[in-house]
């Protein structure tokens, strides 16, 4: 029996893509018995090592024209290298469409920390569609920078025209947008999104603490989440005008669990600053203030430190495989279960325990989407 493969196209060969692709070969070599670190080892017969990159796009001169195996380690990527011996893939990174994918302020920073735009000819929509069809891509994952609204929709449109499942790891609202969701449903194409929620990141920890207080009868009065790091994502987000959907996505991921309105002034969740020497390490400070029995005040305050991109790669790996499984089953449109479990701004929000149960039901074929 032939091996089952998930043929993956990647848009944005940055830190997240680097971790994801390293992970394919890491788990292929180590096996899941020796090492863990994944939420769903087997999704419909697909394992992490069954994902195969067949196409890739980027805008950086140090990546365009290179084999994916080389590009994932090129500057300005700065994430942990946990599998350095990624073999040549035979897939060359193509010049993506820049559109709004590079904030103007990023040109003011040293080349080692920012994007260096390639002068190669950009692929147009028809080029991207042709590549997706020619390579037989099953799924495309969108890793364009935060605030790249036009670029994200450009690749979503390409998926619709090529019949390729779409995983939107960024906070442009596509899968959670009713009109876009209906388009994917009409074309019979699976879609997962929006804005990847890491395995144990700031959002899932904040949601868990909020749910704990709610379940224990402690009213939440105020809360904040402050994040900073040193990768290009945090550098890009210094342009506050690019953060509108990101802030909404992160805030709603937490506020959707709270059954009362805190008031806008009592909840603050969002990226805060860029600290270059942190590289791909992300620091989050989270505080929740509440009232115990008798109205006596209390608070929880914590610091979370994670390597940002590997933390997201586990969720991405699950989203990709679920998208492929849906495609195998002829299911189109937004996948509610895996979106709720792995994304901050899914079409429908559910408590994480419920979302996980829904994903298991989907994998087992007991739930359509």
């Amino acid at each position: 029996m032939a091996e089952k493969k998930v043929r993956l196209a990647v848009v944005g060969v940055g830190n997240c893509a680097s971790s994801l692709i390293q992970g394919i070969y890491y788990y292929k070599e180590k096996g899941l018995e020796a090492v863990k670190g994944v939420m769903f080892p087997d999704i419909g017969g697909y394992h992490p090592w069954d994902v195969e990159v067949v196409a890739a796009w980027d805008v950086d001169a140090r990546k365009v024209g290179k084999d994916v195996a080389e590009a994932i380690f090129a500057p300005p990527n700065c994430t942990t290298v946990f599998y350095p011996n990624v073999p040549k893939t035979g897939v060359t990174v193509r010049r993506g469409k820049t559109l709004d994918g590079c904030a103007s302020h990023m040109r003011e920073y040293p080349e080692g920390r920012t994007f260096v735009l390639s002068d190669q000819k950009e692929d147009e929509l028809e080029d991207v569609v042709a590549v997706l069809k020619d390579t037989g891509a099953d799924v495309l994952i969108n890793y364009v920078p935060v605030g790249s609204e036009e670029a994200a929709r450009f690749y979503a449109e390409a998926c619709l025209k090529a019949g390729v499942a779409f995983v939107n790891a960024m906070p442009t609202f596509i899968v959670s947008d009713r009109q876009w969701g209906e388009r994917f449903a009409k074309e019979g194409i699976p879609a997962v999104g929006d804005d990847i929620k890491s395995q144990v990141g700031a959002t899932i920890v904040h949601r868990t603490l909020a749910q704990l207080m709610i379940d224990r009868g402690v009213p939440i009065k105020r809360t904040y989440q402050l994040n900073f790091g040193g990768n290009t994502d945090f550098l890009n987000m210094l342009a506050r005008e690019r953060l509108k959907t990101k802030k909404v996505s992160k805030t709603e991921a937490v506020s959707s669990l709270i059954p009362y309105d805190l008031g806008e002034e009592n909840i603050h969740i969002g990226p805060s600053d860029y600290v270059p020497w942190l590289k791909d390490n992300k620091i989050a400070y989270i505080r929740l203030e509440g009232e115990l029995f008798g109205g006596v005040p209390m608070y929880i305050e914590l610091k979370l430190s994670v390597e940002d991109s590997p933390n997201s790669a586990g969720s991405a790996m699950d989203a990709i495989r679920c998208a492929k499984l849906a495609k195998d089953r002829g299911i189109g449109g937004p996948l509610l279960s895996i979106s709720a479990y792995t994304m901050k701004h899914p079409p429908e929000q559910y408590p994480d325990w419920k979302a996980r149960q829904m994903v298991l039901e989907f994998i087992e074929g007991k739930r359509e989407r």
Side-chain angles (χ1 to χ4, degrees):
M1 184 177 174
E3 283 186 31
K4 297 176 71 172
K5 288 289 184 182
V6 184
R7 297 174 67 81
L8 178 69
V10 178
V11 176
V13 189
N15 287 310
C16 290
S18 178
S19 294
L20 178 68
I21 294 166
Q22 288 183 65
I24 294 169
Y25 296 95
Y26 175 83
Y27 284 106
K28 184 176 183 179
E29 179 181 305
K30 304 286 186 181
L32 289 169
E33 293 304 313
V35 289
K36 308 299 182 184
V38 295
M39 295 183 289
F40 300 101
D42 184 327
I43 294 179
Y46 296 109
H47 306 91
W49 55 84
D50 294 321
V51 177
E52 177 183 23
V53 178
V54 297
W57 286 267
D58 204 277
V59 301
D60 196 290
R62 294 158 294 185
K63 298 173 184 177
V64 174
K66 304 285 177 62
D67 189 279
V68 166
E70 184 180 353
I72 60 174
F73 300 121
N77 290 9
C78 58
T79 191
T80 296
V81 176
F82 58 88
Y83 196 87
N85 301 316
V86 173
K88 288 290 180 67
T89 64
V91 177
T92 300
V93 178
R94 299 178 64 90
R95 175 56 160 98
K97 191 86 170 166
T98 305
L99 296 169
D100 54 354
C102 183
S104 58
H105 77 280
M106 295 188 73
R107 298 174 188 141
E108 302 168 9
Y109 288 81
E111 286 189 0
R113 299 196 179 278
T114 189
F115 304 136
V116 178
L117 291 180
S118 167
D119 59 6
Q120 299 294 310
K121 182 180 180 297
E122 299 181 354
D123 274 1
E124 300 298 333
L125 184 63
E126 58 269 24
D127 300 315
V128 176
V129 172
V131 170
L132 291 174
K133 288 182 175 179
D134 291 347
T135 58
D138 297 307
V139 182
L140 179 147
I141 187 164
N142 173 41
Y143 279 134
V144 298
V146 171
S148 307
E149 302 284 315
E150 292 176 32
R153 294 187 178 96
F154 173 85
Y155 288 102
E157 192 68 49
C159 286
L160 284 167
K161 291 184 179 299
V164 172
F166 181 62
V167 175
N168 185 30
M170 306 312 291
T172 297
F173 300 154
I174 296 176
V175 182
S176 58
D177 177 87
R178 183 179 59 81
Q179 291 182 327
W180 276 97
E182 287 175 354
R183 291 185 67 194
F184 276 96
K186 183 180 178 182
E187 296 296 329
I189 300 169
V192 183
D194 299 302
D195 196 9
I196 201 81
K197 181 166 63 182
S198 295
Q199 276 180 285
V200 182
T203 296
I204 190 72
V205 170
H206 202 157
R207 281 170 61 94
T208 300
L209 291 173
Q211 190 68 57
L212 173 67
M213 291 176 70
I214 292 162
D215 290 347
R216 304 298 286 182
V218 179
I220 300 169
K221 296 299 183 180
R222 284 179 293 272
T223 187
Y224 66 63
Q225 180 195 126
L226 307 175
N227 304 280
F228 53 90
N231 57 28
T232 48
D233 192 31
F234 281 95
L235 176 57
N236 169 63
M237 291 189 292
L238 288 179
R240 297 306 191 197
E241 66 273 10
R242 298 175 71 87
L243 291 180
K244 183 178 180 182
T245 55
K246 183 69 174 178
K247 187 167 174 56
V248 170
S249 175
K250 287 182 72 66
T251 301
E252 286 188 4
V254 176
S255 65
S256 64
L257 293 176
I258 303 172
Y260 40 83
D261 183 13
L262 291 184
E264 187 177 348
E265 71 279 7
N266 292 319
I267 181 168
H268 177 87
I269 300 175
S272 301
D273 214 341
Y274 169 67
V275 182
W277 60 263
L278 284 174
K279 296 184 178 179
D280 197 40
N281 185 232
K282 172 180 173 179
I283 306 294
Y285 285 97
I286 300 171
R287 182 181 175 98
L288 300 99
E289 298 182 2
E291 290 182 352
L292 299 168
F293 187 82
V296 176
M298 59 80 66
Y299 70 85
I300 301 171
E301 192 163 75
L302 66 85
K303 173 186 176 183
L304 174 71
S305 174
V306 293
E307 191 76 358
D308 206 18
S309 300
N311 202 17
S312 78
S315 296
M317 182 64 76
D318 293 342
I320 290 163
R321 289 180 292 154
C322 281
K324 169 61 172 165
L325 183 57
K327 196 173 184 190
D328 290 348
R329 293 173 176 170
I331 298 166
L335 303 182
L336 303 181
S337 55
I338 193 65
S339 293
Y341 196 59
T342 62
M343 300 289 166
K344 297 185 185 79
H345 197 270
E348 295 180 16
Q349 290 276 12
Y350 292 92
D352 294 286
W353 67 267
K354 176 65 175 174
R356 179 176 173 81
Q357 184 181 55
M358 290 166 63
V359 173
L360 290 170
E361 291 170 357
F362 168 77
I363 293 170
E364 293 167 5
K366 297 176 182 177
R367 173 182 292 273
E368 184 183 17
R369 59 186 65 251

